[in-house]
Amino acid sequence: MFKALLLTKTDQPAPHCAITELDEAKLPEGDVLVQVAYSTLNYKDSLAITGKSPVVRTWPMVPGIDFAGTVLESSDGRYKKGDAVLLNGWGVGERHWGGFAQKARVKADWLVPLPAGLSAEQTMAIGTAGYTAMLCVMRLQDQGVTPDGGPVLVTGANGGVGSIAIALLSRLGFTVHASTGRMNEAAHLKALGASELIDRAELNAAGRPLQKERWAAAVDSVGSHTLANVCASVRYGGVVAACGLAQGMDFPATVAPFILRGVTLAGVDSVMAPYERRMQAWKRLAQELPADVLAGNTAKIGLSGVADMAARQLSGHVRGRVVIDVNA
Ligand code: NDP
């Protein structure tokens, strides 16, 4: 038996959410059984737990789109008992039982070895949000964005993706501007590496198709009008890495920035990212994200704190990252 957070469908949008003792035999099929040490609360997990979006596709569901732990059993040659592993995405916590549990059984293809230099807890302090932030940084760099090109904007600055993107970009030598609705967190955002703060109210309402050219590039986890205004404000030839929808899934924009300024809108998906790309992102995270910055950006809770924290996250009251100690 093992402990898990279990979501059960109800006739309301919000599922029933309870810590439950589950039998290992009930775990879904997979090649590798993992003793989970830590998971983390991602935006998508909060949507699943609150039922605000139809993230969960099969019921009942153990949420948790990522986890880190140790292999207990493996029928796949790539992993053996005792190996330290982590997982992000692949529909885990949506279609396949996820990381808010002491055990998980998954496909070997979905795992990556724990990167050298990071503990299981540190990988989950980064979590899918931080790994996505690195994928965004890599996307900008793939498009030739360099620190001497001008400032880079990060939206959703206090969030998981935003906070780690600020830390990564500033350590690469970029001048980072941070857009936030929480100007009272200025000290934290500056400690992460932001040099200038922008009130997100400047960006989150309908704006003109082309605006003053302000940034060389941007990492956007907010979507909607914010993404449209960011595209309209990026300099000629600039690049916007778009990964999120914290403001909304809509994109009320015009083609003007793309056809008149040659702006590139670069989409970033972490869920289905190929193995080599994941390995590259995690290797870089281990090397480029200082441990003290990570620690200062992370809170830790047990499974019993997840439901409350999910509601707090969706109302914009969580700063940085939340690690879940599934054994607490
Ligand atoms: P968080 O909840 O940690 O952060 C989101 C941040 O967005 C908030 O902290 C807030 O920052 C800002 N925000 C919230 N509501 C609004 C609003 N109405 N208007 C403008 N800004 C707002 O979430 P994450 O950082 O973990 O994830 C952010 C987004 O990225 C989510 O939509 C998530 O689903 C997506 N995502 C996508 C991935 C992918 O593979 N493409 C992977 C991981 C995440 P502040 O208070 O500073 O304004």
Side-chain angles (χ1 to χ4, degrees):
M1 301 296 284
F2 66 95
K3 203 165 58 167
L5 199 75
L6 194 69
L7 302 181
T8 317
K9 197 168 173 47
T10 66
D11 54 9
Q12 302 293 314
H16 177 67
C17 172
I19 296 174
T20 312
E21 287 284 325
L22 293 174
D23 189 337
E24 199 178 293
K26 290 256 176 351
L27 282 167
E29 286 189 5
D31 328 295
V32 185
L33 178 67
V34 179
Q35 180 82 55
V36 178
Y38 296 97
S39 186
T40 158
L41 190 69
N42 286 285
Y43 194 86
K44 199 185 258 180
D45 300 318
S46 297
L47 291 175
I49 290 163
T50 58
K52 289 254 164 71
S53 266
V55 165
V56 175
R57 301 298 176 172
T58 58
W59 302 93
M61 178 53 60
V62 175
I65 64 166
D66 52 21
F67 63 75
T70 309
V71 172
L72 288 171
E73 291 168 15
S74 171
S75 60
D76 185 281
R78 286 167 288 178
Y79 296 101
K80 60 176 190 320
K81 187 171 188 242
D83 285 350
V85 291
L86 73 90
L87 179 146
N88 301 99
W90 296 115
V92 170
E94 301 177 55
R95 295 181 159 81
H96 186 103
W97 285 8
F100 294 179
Q102 291 169 321
K103 288 185 182 175
R105 191 184 286 121
V106 295
K107 285 190 182 176
D109 288 347
W110 298 344
L111 294 168
V112 297
L114 203 76
L118 289 175
S119 67
E121 185 171 349
Q122 284 173 317
T123 61
M124 287 299 105
I126 296 166
T128 299
Y131 147 67
T132 303
M134 178 53 94
L135 292 177
C136 289
V137 170
M138 287 162 60
R139 201 80 160 86
L140 296 185
Q141 292 183 313
D142 289 348
Q143 296 291 328
V145 177
T146 54
D148 55 9
V152 175
L153 176 71
V154 174
T155 63
N158 276 294
V161 174
S163 58
I164 306 261
I166 293 169
L168 290 170
L169 287 165
S170 73
R171 268 136 203 96
L172 286 167
F174 287 91
T175 301
V176 185
H177 294 180
S179 157
T180 181
R182 287 179 270 177
M183 298 298 267
N184 58 325
E185 293 288 358
H188 178 63
L189 295 172
K190 291 207 163 158
L192 285 172
S195 61
E196 198 173 305
L197 301 194
I198 288 141
D199 189 326
R200 78 184 192 200
E202 278 184 42
L203 295 170
N204 68 6
R208 283 178 290 111
L210 282 179
Q211 299 169 32
K212 186 177 160 215
E213 295 181 46
R214 296 170 82 177
W215 302 290
V219 171
D220 177 64
S221 60
V222 169
S224 191
H225 288 297
T226 301
L227 177 58
N229 286 321
V230 169
C231 289
S233 307
V234 161
R235 293 182 187 170
Y236 192 93
V239 187
V240 180
C243 73
L245 44 64
Q247 182 180 4
M249 201 190 244
D250 57 331
F251 180 43
T254 76
V255 296
F258 312 118
I259 64 172
L260 298 176
R261 286 190 186 155
V263 168
T264 299
L265 180 54
V268 173
D269 167 61
S270 67
V271 178
M272 307 299 285
Y275 181 82
E276 288 308 326
R277 191 76 170 166
R278 286 166 191 263
M279 291 295 287
Q280 199 188 347
W282 277 107
K283 187 173 172 203
R284 286 192 56 177
L285 284 159
Q287 290 166 351
E288 296 174 27
L289 197 57
D292 58 334
V293 172
L294 193 55
N297 194 47
T298 310
K300 186 155 69 172
I301 58 172
L303 286 177
S304 61
V306 168
D308 280 352
M309 196 60 91
R312 278 173 56 79
Q313 179 166 38
L314 295 189
S315 63
H317 290 97
V318 169
R319 188 185 86 177
R321 303 280 304 125
V322 179
V323 166
I324 300 168
D325 180 349
V326 297
N327 299 299

